[in-house]
Amino acid sequence: MTHASANETVDADPHAEGQAHPIRLYLVCWGFLFVLSVASYMVDYAQLQGLLRWGLILIFMVLKAGLIVAVFMHMAWERLALVYAILLPPLAAIVFMGIMIAESGYTLDARETHFSAPE
């Protein structure tokens, strides 16, 4: 029976660890980011106003952030538990902000009723 000596290595290539993604994936992602950025600037160029303007800007912002997180931060290839650990807290914060916005009218009315000076 022979034993491997301490000087022998298991892998001949020391840089063989990890996972390599094709460069085409990153180029396509950069292309989509460029298109989304141009679309975001076109919202200003077209001089859109009001909720349409802010809605489009926020949609483009979320799409760009999602692409960056998925591809460049490698979240698309992570375990589901890690994805949930990263994405659920911001989603919960958004839900809580929505609840606060929905309740803000009631709170304002209650303050105006109970804390206003007598007429």
Side-chain angles (χ1 to χ4, degrees), residues 33-95:
L33 288 171
F34 179 76
V35 168
L36 289 171
S37 294
V38 167
S40 181
Y41 287 119
M42 289 304 292
V43 169
D44 286 332
Y45 185 76
Q47 297 179 354
L48 297 175
Q49 297 297 322
L51 289 176
L52 177 64
R53 172 193 174 113
W54 291 110
L56 287 173
I57 288 173
L58 289 174
I59 287 170
F60 293 140
M61 178 190 67
V62 168
L63 288 174
K64 289 191 294 186
L67 269 174
I68 291 168
V69 168
V71 176
F72 295 110
M73 295 178 69
H74 304 285
M75 289 300 288
W77 300 280
E78 292 294 334
R79 294 181 182 202
L80 196 56
L82 182 61
V83 172
Y84 286 157
I86 300 294
L87 295 180
L88 284 183
L91 289 176
I94 289 171
V95 168

